Amino acid sequence: SQTIHQWPATLVQPVGSPLSLECTVEGTSNPNLYWYRQAAGRGLQLLFYSVGIGQISSEVPQNLSASRPQDRQFILSSKKLLLSDSGFYLCAWTGGTYGYTFGSGTRLTVV
Amino acid sequence: GESVGLHLPTLSVQEGDNSIINCAYSNSASDYFIWYKQESGKGPQFIIDIRSNMDKRQGQRVTVLLNKTVKHLSLQIAATQPGDSAVYFCAENRDRGSTLGRLYFGRGTQLTVWP
């Protein structure tokens, strides 16, 4: 069966520090992968998507970047975090029977 | 930006009653819609989806209705239970005819079920 793993679950980082969030998918090949961010009390905003290794598209200009070094690995990064980067980050993939599947999310607090 | 919005940000119902959550979308090119349930601190969970060539789709205790004329989507939950308490989001896929699969979400509706 297909599963998606996302870590860490929570993260507290100081302003100006780097960031690396990782997402991996199991049980499928060549999935489309997505990073979403959710601010408190808001819906999900699409940040990046990838249709293959090394292929990254950005939806909104921001302080973040994404990479896909392997078929089932998607990484969200920042060189210097801002307070406004705080939020709930979700990885998702498509290709399964029930459409889009989300990971459990990472709660990032920038202090 | 967000083009999918919800009419009611909060909804409170009695256990056993039916719930209806509404959603409006603005992009007439969207051809696929999904309802998600999100519990506090967790990722969204797929509930039901519908394609634009359908008006209605039923699942277990849930029904999604799509009115393309007025660009309106609704989620009906029958015999609502306390475990249904969560935030519900509708999302649209505007990538008609492609496999990009990008989803655009509304703000969400908080459903609270009282015993």
Side-chain angles (χ1 to χ4, degrees), chain B residues 69-111:
Chain B
T69 302
V70 295
K71 299 190 188 70
H72 184 267
L73 197 68
S74 69
L75 176 70
Q76 301 177 1
I77 304 174
T80 314
Q81 303 168 1
D84 294 327
S85 294
V87 177
Y88 290 80
F89 294 96
C90 66
E92 63 175 323
N93 177 3
R94 300 179 205 156
D95 294 321
R96 178 188 288 269
S98 84
T99 57
L100 286 178
R102 293 172 295 180
L103 286 183
Y104 298 90
F105 285 76
R107 185 180 167 192
T109 292
Q110 173 69 59
L111 174 65

Side-chain angles (χ1 to χ4, degrees), chain A residues 32 34 36 38 41-46 49 51 59-60 88 90 94 97-105 107, chain B residues 1-2 32 34 36 38 40-46 49 87 89 93 99-108:
Chain A
N32 284 6
Y34 310 84
Y36 287 84
Q38 185 175 29
R42 304 286 294 179
L44 283 71
Q45 180 184 35
L46 179 61
Y49 64 96
V51 298
E59 280 285 299
V60 294
F88 192 43
L90 290 151
T94 66
T97 306
Y98 294 103
Y100 308 82
T101 303
F102 283 86
S104 54
R107 175 76 59 192
Chain B
E2 297 178 348
Y32 180 55
I34 307 177
Y36 282 95
Q38 187 178 29
S40 181
K42 297 183 179 179
Q45 179 185 5
F46 173 92
D49 59 1
V87 177
F89 294 96
N93 177 3
T99 57
L100 286 178
R102 293 172 295 180
L103 286 183
Y104 298 90
F105 285 76
R107 185 180 167 192

Side-chain angles (χ1 to χ4, degrees), chain B:
Chain B
E2 297 178 348
S3 72
V4 181
L6 293 167
H7 296 305
L8 296 173
T10 61
L11 177 65
S12 295
V13 300
Q14 196 82 28
E15 181 179 0
D17 287 350
N18 296 334
S19 303
I20 300 176
I21 301 172
N22 296 302
C23 178
Y25 64 96
S26 59
N27 194 322
S28 58
S30 296
D31 66 344
Y32 180 55
F33 304 87
I34 307 177
W35 280 101
Y36 282 95
K37 172 186 179 182
Q38 187 178 29
E39 296 174 311
S40 181
K42 297 183 179 179
Q45 179 185 5
F46 173 92
I47 301 174
I48 192 168
D49 59 1
I50 188 168
R51 297 200 178 275
S52 59
N53 60 353
M54 302 172 68
D55 297 324
K56 179 180 180 179
R57 191 166 187 220
Q58 289 183 295
Q60 187 176 16
R61 282 202 306 120
V62 295
T63 301
V64 55
L65 299 177
L66 176 62
N67 186 330
K68 295 180 286 295
T69 302
V70 295
K71 299 190 188 70
H72 184 267
L73 197 68
S74 69
L75 176 70
Q76 301 177 1
I77 304 174
T80 314
Q81 303 168 1
D84 294 327
S85 294
V87 177
Y88 290 80
F89 294 96
C90 66
E92 63 175 323
N93 177 3
R94 300 179 205 156
D95 294 321
R96 178 188 288 269
S98 84
T99 57
L100 286 178
R102 293 172 295 180
L103 286 183
Y104 298 90
F105 285 76
R107 185 180 167 192
T109 292
Q110 173 69 59
L111 174 65
T112 301
V113 183
W114 301 99

